């Protein structure tokens, strides 16, 4: 936790993202790098015309942080995708309330 759910990239690209981004995310969020979990979810995009090329779609699930931290995380992830050749990407943030998040049966 934070959990970073990623769609639209390959397994190799997600592995590369996790290695490159986790230390930088840890610095931005002031937490250990091993707190970041990257979860690759295979998916396909469809419109009224059928299957269309995919671009990275990311959901960041975490406890509330400042807007400044959130902005820095979004910019870092965006820049990582640009380096992979993806001009377009989508990043959204979703909040866990500490009381509603359980780890090993215990809430925060």
């Amino acid at each position: 936790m934070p959990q970073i759910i990623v769609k639209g990239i390959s397994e190799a690209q997600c592995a590369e993202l996790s290695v490159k981004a986790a230390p930088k995310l840890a610095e931005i969020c002031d937490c250990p790098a091993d707190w970041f979990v990257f979860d690759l979810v295979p998916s396909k995009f469809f419109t009224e015309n059928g299957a269309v090329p995919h671009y990275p779609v990311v959901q960041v699930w975490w406890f509330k942080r400042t807007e400044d931290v959130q902005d820095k995380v979004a910019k870092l992830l965006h820049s990582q995708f640009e380096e992979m050749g993806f001009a377009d990407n989508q990043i959204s943030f979703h909040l866990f309330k500490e009381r509603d998040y359980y780890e090993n049966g215990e809430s925060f």
Side-chain angles (χ1 to χ4, degrees):
M1 186 11 202
Q3 182 181 19
I4 300 172
I5 301 169
V6 185
K7 300 176 186 177
I9 63 175
S10 71
E11 186 173 336
Q13 289 168 320
C14 191
E16 178 185 346
L17 176 66
S18 68
V19 169
K20 288 184 174 181
K24 295 173 184 176
L25 292 169
E27 186 176 320
I28 292 168
C29 295
D30 192 27
C31 68
D34 66 357
W35 282 13
F36 292 90
V37 176
F38 293 78
D39 184 5
L40 178 63
V41 179
S43 64
K44 297 184 185 242
F45 277 5
F46 294 89
T47 67
E48 70 277 3
N49 298 319
V52 294
H54 215 311
Y55 55 85
V57 175
V58 178
Q59 297 175 353
V60 179
W61 286 88
W62 62 359
F63 297 134
K64 185 165 180 59
R65 290 180 168 79
T66 66
E67 277 188 42
D68 181 55
V69 168
Q70 182 172 300
D71 291 347
K72 287 177 182 176
V73 168
K75 286 178 182 171
L76 172 69
L77 292 173
H78 173 72
S79 70
Q80 294 293 311
F81 290 125
E82 280 188 321
E83 287 179 21
M84 291 181 192
F86 294 103
D88 296 322
N89 55 75
Q90 181 185 85
I91 302 164
S92 59
F93 293 86
H94 307 271
L95 301 180
F96 286 117
K97 293 180 183 176
E98 284 84 351
R99 180 63 186 110
D100 295 336
Y101 181 82
Y102 288 75
E103 191 170 279
N104 300 322
E106 299 293 324
S107 72
F108 277 56

